[in-house]
Amino acid sequence: MKLGLSSQNALPIASRPLVRPGEVRPGIVHLGLGAFHRAHQAVYTESAVAASGGNWGIVGVAPRSREIVDRLREQDQLYSVLTVGSGERDHVRAVGILAGLAHAAGDPYGVVAAVADPGIRIVSLTVTEKAYQPPADLSAQVTGKAPPVSVPALLARGILARHGAPLTVLCCDNLQGNGPRVRSLVAETLEHAGAELPDTVAFPSTMVDRIVPATSADHRRRAALALGADDAVPVAAEPFTQWVIEDRFPGGRPDWAAAGAILTTDVTPWETLKLRALNAVHSALAYLGALAGRELIADALELPGMTGVLRRFLADEVTPAVTPPPGTTVTGYGATVLTRFANRELGHRTLQVAMDGTQKLPHRLLGTVQDLRDQGGTPCWAGLFLAAWMRFARGYADSGAPLPLDDPMASRIRESLSAVPDTPNGVTSALLGLTEVFPPSLAGDDVLRREVVRWYSSLDRHGAEATIREAGA
């Protein structure tokens, strides 16, 4: 049978939705109906409504492709989440919190009307960073001369049509300080219409975390087997999930705390911990693993000595530079990270994680390096990770196999490397000279340069696998 209203009572009891579709009126419009939202915020919201009630159904909006909208409509807005973990038994549950569907590209005015509805008190977003860029015709989209198809225009037009009714715009994308950033964007967009941002609209910050791999044919097969029903749009996700939310909601909110979310006055400590203890480790595994010829992040983690290297990085360099949230330690959080990355079901490829290094490393790693140097410390392990990125940027693995440099600064990197000798000193000097990546305080730091050259020399002579084995012993 197919997943839908007619089949939900035939599902295993543990797999039935906590909220039946149609029973909860809409209270949230969500822009970005992708897998992450369906495995994260939608699951939290359904659990919160099941625990504490409230009309917090979600109107899911697909910005561009309408395929997900059509498939969900065929299933009466039901879908399932398959939790996959290393050595754990598959668990699947249908989710019924969706209370409406819309397609922004096909019906932008319908989306504006949904945002303007006074019954909607939250507009949440998972649309990736690129969607927040103002389009060339933004003024026309805001003033009505063109359809409001961009995210900034949809938000601005919807807010204008609310006439001051309280609203929370909740960004759930991985952007540092995402609340203030989106607030600034919306305020600037409203200026095109000669309007100011009402003080009844709040923009709290959030930190989201759950690894959601691409859904494979095997995931679909396993979801159907566990459900006893065919789901055309299941989502696969790891067991771990976390949501930290700045608690500012003028129009109210679901009881997300009852679903396990952390409500706080300041998201920053959580955000910093994730960047420096999770994202930095992810990048380190990507570059060292790619050099050693490992396809998956889980494969890279299995290199002899790798766990020891990463644990020392967390204890020796991240811990002194980070004040973790109350009740949390860097090493404890880091241990959880390593367990998560060992989950082979996630399928994270080293080459995929290695993309856009010049954009990621300043946020993930260089903050730790700067704090250490300010304290008089030596960035030993961070120096190894930077050296691995530099070796990766040269374009080939230890075996001689080519490595793709998928980076917005790829041409600049190649130009810099072509102008220096292909030596540890030459490469280090060239890449530390990328002013868009390294601030002057680090580019000219002799201690950092020495560490990078030392590790680069080892990677050059012995390769990543041998270097890691010796360092992590």
Side-chain angles (χ1 to χ4, degrees), residues 71-235:
R71 290 191 174 189
L72 283 167
R73 281 177 176 156
E74 291 171 359
Q75 296 183 172
D76 304 315
Q77 302 174 162
L78 282 168
Y79 68 93
S80 62
V81 176
L82 175 72
T83 302
V84 294
S86 300
E88 295 187 16
R89 183 179 178 182
D90 286 349
H91 171 71
V92 66
R93 180 165 69 80
V95 178
I97 196 62
L98 289 175
L101 297 166
H103 181 225
D107 183 18
Y109 298 103
V111 176
V112 170
V115 174
D117 183 344
I120 297 298
R121 287 155 286 167
I122 297 172
V123 175
S124 53
L125 305 98
T126 51
V127 292
T128 75
E129 188 166 3
K130 292 179 182 178
Y132 296 102
Q133 301 300 316
D137 65 341
L138 179 60
S139 181
Q141 291 189 33
V142 176
T143 56
K145 297 176 182 178
V149 293
S150 68
V151 168
L154 289 169
L155 290 173
R157 293 281 295 271
I159 288 170
L160 283 174
R162 292 180 67 84
H163 304 293
L167 180 71
T168 299
V169 178
L170 191 67
C171 176
C172 300
D173 282 300
N174 280 311
L175 306 172
Q176 282 187 282
N178 53 16
R181 288 181 65 171
V182 175
R183 184 188 190 283
S184 177
L185 171 67
V186 173
E188 292 173 3
T189 303
L190 286 169
E191 290 177 1
H192 289 278
E196 294 184 353
L197 182 64
D199 57 13
T200 53
V201 182
F203 295 81
S205 292
T206 68
M207 192 280 282
V208 297
D209 193 7
R210 190 177 198 184
I211 299 174
V212 180
T215 304
S216 66
D218 183 57
H219 289 145
R220 286 190 287 272
R221 178 190 62 79
R222 288 156 58 186
L225 185 64
L227 276 175
D230 182 46
D231 180 2
V233 286
V235 179

Side-chain angles (χ1 to χ4, degrees), residues 6 25 61 123 205 227 266 272 287 289 293 314 318 346 350 368 395 415:
S6 62
R25 292 198 303 274
V61 179
V123 175
S205 292
L227 276 175
D266 186 10
T272 302
Y287 295 121
L314 293 165
V318 178
L346 304 181
T350 54
T368 295
E415 180 182 350

